[in-house]
Amino acid sequence: MTDAPEMTPSVSQTVANRAKSSTWQTGLKWFASEFVVVVAGILVALGLQAWWQERQDSSRGAEYQQQVFSDVRVSERALRESIVFDRAHYSATRLLSTALYASDIPLRDQALQWLQSYTGWTADPRPILGNVNALIQTGEIRLVSDPKARRAIISYASIMGTTWADRDAQLARMVRANDLSIARLEAANLPPLMATLSASGTYDPNDLQDYLPAYLAAWPRLRADEQFRTAQQWRLFAYLNIEYYNQEMLTATTDLRKILEASAP
């Protein structure tokens, strides 16, 4: 048997194959170009989204920082005022305590001087920590872009929380001293002082005029009352410690305010 002749593709088949190959290559190029366009579009969209999110985060971080800055300024002012007020009350209590160990009865003007500042009164410079604590607890503190400001806010929250708790312990000491002092005044048959305290814990001198004679008449008994004298010593000790903690909080607040001013967007 003779071998079958080899089949060679016809011209028409060759042209068809070339046409198919060209069509496939064209389709591949089209797909590749479309793929590149789609991927590029996605990358651009992601980039724009990231840029927009970063812009939004930056804006929120600046807003949070401004809120904390405003709170810090209010707290700083309140702490400064409280230190001034408490020092005045400490001075009045010290005058009273010193007079209790003197042999003579105080003059009317002397008694009026320390009675004007209600012994046992303390300011309440409660720091505003709502925004600071919220930033830390929610994790939004990360939006504060300046690392120094971010660290300072976190440190500030810790200092203020701890120091305020320590101050509270001294305030409790003051309350006990006040209760004891009032009890000893009642034991000396002194009537309650019916007068209204100002916002800084002082009395109008005119409101003390009717109280002074009974107070001075009871003075020898008060001077001999060891518990009454002890109550004034407790007050002095509490005032000194309260001022110390107020000063600690003021220093921390002032430091944070300066850092936030320097890093303001």
Side-chain angles (χ1 to χ4, degrees):
M1 294 181 63
T2 60
D3 293 334
E6 293 184 2
M7 300 295 292
T8 57
S10 64
V11 173
S12 60
Q13 288 176 325
T14 302
V15 171
N17 290 337
R18 288 177 178 174
K20 288 181 181 179
S21 176
S22 177
T23 301
W24 182 83
Q25 291 176 354
T26 301
L28 181 61
K29 290 179 181 179
W30 176 86
F31 174 78
S33 62
E34 286 295 313
F35 179 79
V36 169
V37 170
V38 171
V39 171
I42 292 173
L43 292 176
V44 169
L46 290 174
L48 287 174
Q49 183 180 11
W51 170 80
W52 178 253
Q53 186 62 48
E54 183 178 352
R55 185 175 179 181
Q56 291 291 96
D57 288 348
S58 177
S59 176
R60 288 167 60 198
E63 183 180 351
Y64 289 150
Q65 185 167 326
Q66 182 58 42
Q67 289 173 352
V68 171
F69 178 69
S70 298
D71 292 346
V72 162
R73 291 183 63 187
V74 173
S75 297
E76 184 179 20
R77 183 168 58 251
L79 284 163
R80 289 188 188 281
E81 290 176 352
S82 72
I83 289 173
V84 172
F85 292 154
D86 286 347
R87 280 178 181 171
H89 287 278
Y90 168 79
S91 296
T93 304
R94 186 163 55 84
L95 289 174
L96 169 59
S97 182
T98 301
L100 285 170
Y101 290 91
S103 57
D104 53 342
I105 295 177
L107 299 176
R108 186 183 181 91
D109 289 345
Q110 291 175 320
L112 185 62
Q113 182 180 357
W114 68 63
L115 283 176
Q116 276 184 259
S117 293
Y118 174 71
T119 49
W121 182 93
T122 58
D124 185 20
R126 195 173 300 274
I128 304 173
L129 299 175
N131 286 314
V132 168
N133 290 335
L135 280 177
I136 295 171
Q137 292 167 6
T138 62
E140 297 285 78
I141 187 68
R142 62 183 173 77
L143 299 180
V144 177
S145 57
D146 187 343
K148 186 176 181 180
R150 194 163 56 243
R151 290 192 299 269
I153 291 173
I154 295 172
S155 176
Y156 178 72
S158 176
I159 292 172
M160 299 303 276
T162 301
T163 308
W164 187 263
D166 291 338
R167 183 187 182 278
D168 265 352
Q170 299 306 315
L171 189 59
R173 182 193 299 273
M174 181 72 77
V175 170
R176 292 194 298 272
N178 290 345
D179 289 343
L180 178 58
S181 186
I182 291 171
R184 303 319 299 165
L185 289 172
E186 291 175 348
N189 297 319
L190 275 171
L193 177 56
M194 304 302 293
T196 302
L197 281 171
S198 70
S200 60
T202 58
Y203 291 116
D204 186 319
N206 295 325
D207 294 337
L208 298 171
Q209 297 303 323
D210 294 336
Y211 183 77
L212 267 174
Y215 188 83
L216 292 173
W219 184 256
R221 187 170 179 178
L222 293 175
R223 186 175 55 192
D225 190 329
E226 186 63 30
Q227 293 186 61
F228 186 74
R229 290 190 295 180
T230 298
Q232 311 320 310
Q233 296 300 316
W234 285 357
R235 282 173 166 169
L236 290 174
F237 185 78
Y239 272 129
L240 288 174
N241 282 282
I242 287 172
E243 180 176 347
Y244 170 79
Y245 292 124
N246 284 349
Q247 191 63 57
E248 286 284 301
M249 290 189 291
L250 176 59
T251 300
T253 304
T254 301
D255 289 346
L256 178 58
R257 192 246 313 154
K258 291 179 179 178
I259 290 173
L260 294 177
E261 281 179 338
S263 67

